[in-house]
Amino acid sequence: MFKPSDILAISQQLQEGAVGIFPFDTLLGITGVVSESVIRRIQHIKNRDDQPFILILPDGDQLTDWVAPLSAQQKRMLDYYWPGPITFIFKKNERVPNYVTCSKPTIAIRMLEFLPVNVLLEHLKQPILSTSVNITGDPSCMTVADCPDSIVSHMDFVLDSCKPLYQQPSTIVDLSSENPICLRQGVIAYETI
């Protein structure tokens, strides 16, 4: 079980631009705050420069900072599925910098219910990035012991005192057009409501 003092220390490191390995509800992830230097660093570590990362929000009030105005149907879906192991892709808010989305018009966001992450976000009060621990194209690492040295050696911290709940990726649903499209069935089954 994690210690709250560990989370507080990681929060302080993240505010200073650190990058590290952290357990999310679905999988182990590489995380950092949303800044151009952090994003470029994670892209370099993963050998990935054309795919944006998922944003994990601390609360729903921050959603409008990142996404275009939502329809009533989209709001219903978020109320139904969040917090939970499902990633939604939205049209991005026009104020979101291109480096966050790799110049794509969409943005992937999650809100989750997992104590280590929720405690971290409570301290940070800002979104964090989430991406699987792997070199792009390789399988996701399920434990820190599975992580290649080429990734671990670039990390500022590794939290290994608790494990992800599911050991499976999140479900991904694209809400950027009129009809929702399930791009990946992950932990939970998606169905239109």
Side-chain angles (χ1 to χ4, degrees):
M1 187 61 183
F2 71 92
K3 298 177 190 168
S5 58
D6 293 340
I7 304 289
L8 180 58
I10 287 171
S11 169
Q12 291 168 341
Q13 288 180 275
L14 289 172
Q15 289 172 15
E16 295 164 3
V19 166
I21 293 175
F22 198 90
F24 288 83
D25 57 342
T26 51
L27 295 171
L28 208 54
I30 298 174
T31 194
V33 296
V34 183
S35 75
E36 186 167 11
S37 60
V38 167
I39 288 171
R40 300 282 182 238
R41 185 175 167 198
I42 298 173
Q43 287 171 331
H44 176 74
I45 291 166
K46 285 180 61 85
N47 192 23
R48 166 179 167 173
D49 58 9
D50 61 348
Q51 287 284 337
F53 304 121
I54 297 170
L55 265 65
I56 309 291
L57 296 186
D59 61 68
D61 292 343
Q62 294 189 17
L63 190 62
T64 55
D65 295 336
W66 299 98
V67 307
L70 299 175
S71 69
Q73 180 196 22
Q74 289 171 324
K75 289 176 183 176
R76 275 196 310 276
M77 290 180 66
L78 300 187
D79 288 343
Y80 183 79
Y81 282 107
W82 276 357
I86 187 165
T87 300
F88 287 110
I89 298 174
F90 304 91
K91 286 182 183 171
K92 73 175 185 179
N93 184 308
E94 60 187 17
R95 295 188 305 270
V96 173
N98 281 330
Y99 67 79
V100 174
T101 62
C102 295
S103 298
K104 293 181 176 10
T106 56
I107 189 165
I109 296 181
R110 286 188 63 205
M111 284 189 61
L112 51 94
E113 187 65 46
F114 184 53
L115 191 57
V117 175
N118 295 135
V119 170
L120 179 63
L121 291 172
E122 189 177 310
H123 285 296
L124 277 174
K125 300 191 181 346
Q126 62 179 304
I128 55 175
L129 301 163
S130 172
T131 182
S132 54
V133 183
N134 61 345
I135 302 299
T136 297
D138 291 347
S140 300
C141 298
M142 296 298 174
T143 68
V144 172
D146 295 334
C147 298
D149 289 341
S150 62
I151 289 180
V152 176
S153 63
H154 287 92
M155 297 294 110
D156 299 311
F157 64 84
V158 174
L159 183 68
D160 195 24
S161 54
C162 56
K163 308 290 182 236
L165 290 176
Y166 301 110
Q167 301 289 332
Q168 294 180 60
S170 65
T171 299
I172 300 178
V173 177
D174 188 342
L175 293 183
S176 65
S177 56
E178 188 174 340
N179 295 314
I181 301 168
C182 184
L183 302 179
R184 179 178 74 195
Q185 285 285 3
V187 174
I188 60 171
Y190 165 77
E191 50 191 47
T192 305
I193 58 165

